[in-house]
Amino acid sequence: MAKSSRPVLGALLAALLSLAPAAAGHGAPAGTVFWVDPDSAAARQAAAYRAQGRTADAALVDRIATRPQAVWLGGADPGPTARAVTEAAARAGSTAVLVTYYIPHRDCGSYSAGGAPDAAAYRAYIDSLVSGLGSGGAYVVVEPDAVASAVAGCPGADIEERYALLAYAVQRLAARPGTRVYLDAGNAGWIPDPARLVDPLRRSGVAAATGIALNVANYRTNSETSAYGHRLLAALGGAPHFVIDSSRNGNGPYEGTDAWCNPPGRALGTPPTTGSADPALDAYLWIKRPGESDGTCRGGPPAGQWWESGALELARNSPARLTGAPAPRGSGPRAA
C-alpha cells in the first residue's frame, strides 16, 4: 500500500459540497472521540506479555493498543463487521473509523493483491457496508491507493471502471446519516504534482465526499503532508477538508530502497484527534494499524498481519508524548 517509491484539496465549489450529506457542516465535529478496539491484535499482545511477566514490553505495546485505529473491511460482505463495530463504538460514546479495501485489482498485484472479482461484486460489497452503517455515523476512508495507483500505472485494472466504482462508493456512503467520507489521494512522495490527481479524483466522486485522506500506510511527516494537502485542495478548486494518517510517521520517511515497506527505525506519530489549528485538517487518524506488516519484506509476515518485533520497534521509537493518558477504551466485539 501507498508505494511512494514505485517508478514511479481554498474552495471544491460550495454549491457542489452542499449536495453531499457527509460534507454538510464542513469541519469535523469538535471533541470527537474515536473508538478503541478492546480486542485488537495489539491488545491481545499486551495481555500476553503481562501474563508472561513482560511488563515493560506490555507497556510499550499499550502505546498502540490503547489508541483508536481504523478497521479495514477487505472481505466480500463487510456489513456485519461494520454493524458490530459501529454499534460497539456507539455504546462507548465514540466514533468508528472504517476503511473500504476491496476495489478490483487492489494493490495492483503487489503484497495486498486481491479485491473484488468484478464491478458487480464491488457494488455489492459497498451495498453491504452501507447496510451495516447505523445512524450514529462513522469516518470512512475509501480505498487506499486506488486513485494514486491508477495515476501511477496499475496493470490489469480498468481505470475508467475504477473511477466509476469509487464514485459509486463515495455517493452511497455519503448518503448515510453522520457518515464522513474521505477519498484516498495517496501521499506527498508518490504523485508529487497534485495537478495529476485533480481529474482522477473528480471522476472518482470527490465532490460528494467530506474530503480526502492522505499518507495512508505511509511515513511522510505531518508538515509535509499538510502542505501537500493544501496544494491539492487548491488544485481541485477548493474542496475543504482532509485527514492525515499519522500512525507511523513519528520519525518521518525512510531514506532507502523500498521505503514504503516495513522500513526500519520508524515511530508512532500524532495520536488520533480532531484537534487541529488548521480548519482544513479534520483529523489525525491511525488508519494503517501500527504493528501490522506492509508485506513480506525485511522479514515481515504477509501484509496486514500482526508483526510482534515491528510493533515493539515502532512503540520503542515513539515520541514521549505518546506515553501519556490514552484515549478511553471501547467495548464490544473484536473488529477483525
Side-chain angles (χ1 to χ4, degrees):
M1 293 173 288
K3 299 159 186 64
S4 62
S5 63
R6 281 182 171 177
V8 207
L9 198 187
L12 256 190
L13 298 173
L16 286 175
L17 288 167
S18 67
L19 299 176
H26 298 289
T32 298
V33 175
F34 296 112
W35 184 68
V36 179
D37 180 2
D39 193 33
S40 65
R44 296 194 302 275
Q45 183 71 76
Y49 283 152
R50 288 192 179 87
Q52 298 163 13
R54 296 172 60 177
T55 56
D57 285 342
L60 281 173
V61 176
D62 271 342
R63 298 184 185 184
I64 298 172
T66 59
R67 302 293 177 178
Q69 299 163 52
V71 176
W72 291 62
L73 303 169
D77 184 20
T81 299
R83 183 176 297 107
V85 170
T86 55
E87 288 178 355
R91 289 194 297 269
S94 57
T95 299
V97 181
L98 306 173
V99 183
T100 71
Y101 198 52
Y102 200 59
I103 199 79
H105 294 282
R106 184 182 70 192
D107 208 32
C108 303
S110 191
Y111 287 118
S112 296
D118 54 39
Y122 185 74
R123 287 190 291 268
Y125 161 87
I126 292 298
D127 292 345
S128 173
L129 172 53
V130 169
S131 75
L133 292 175
S135 60
Y139 281 52
V140 183
V141 176
V142 175
E143 299 297 334
D145 295 357
V147 173
S149 65
V151 173
C154 187
D158 183 327
I159 301 306
E160 295 302 318
E161 176 185 85
R162 172 169 290 198
Y163 294 156
L165 291 176
L166 290 169
Y168 180 83
V170 170
Q171 291 161 3
R172 291 280 283 131
L173 291 163
R176 294 301 302 161
T179 301
R180 304 179 65 81
V181 182
Y182 296 90
L183 178 61
D184 187 77
N187 65 74
W190 192 356
I191 309 293
D193 180 7
R196 295 180 61 197
L197 290 164
V198 171
D199 185 61
L201 285 170
R202 287 175 174 162
R203 292 160 70 186
S204 299
V206 72
T210 312
I212 57 173
L214 295 169
N215 201 50
V216 174
N218 212 269
Y219 302 86
R220 316 307 297 196
T221 65
N222 291 340
S223 58
E224 180 186 13
T225 302
S226 182
Y228 183 79
H230 279 281
R231 293 201 304 274
L232 181 49
L233 297 182
L236 276 164
H241 303 292
F242 61 98
V243 294
I244 292 175
D245 184 352
S246 58
S247 59
R248 306 183 299 174
N249 69 350
N251 282 344
Y254 177 68
E255 300 298 335
T257 59
D258 292 332
W260 62 272
C261 193
N262 296 330
R266 300 311 92 196
L268 301 170
T270 303
T273 180
T274 57
S276 168
D278 184 345
L281 175 55
D282 282 357
Y284 295 103
L285 301 173
W286 284 10
I287 301 172
K288 172 67 177 182
R289 296 168 75 93
E292 294 185 356
S293 178
D294 291 320
T296 53
C297 49
R298 296 189 169 95
Q305 291 192 14
W306 177 254
W307 187 18
E308 182 178 348
S309 62
L312 284 170
E313 181 182 12
L314 276 173
R316 192 175 292 117
N317 294 340
S318 65
R321 56 187 161 76
L322 291 180
T323 64
R329 277 190 176 274
S331 62
R334 176 184 174 190

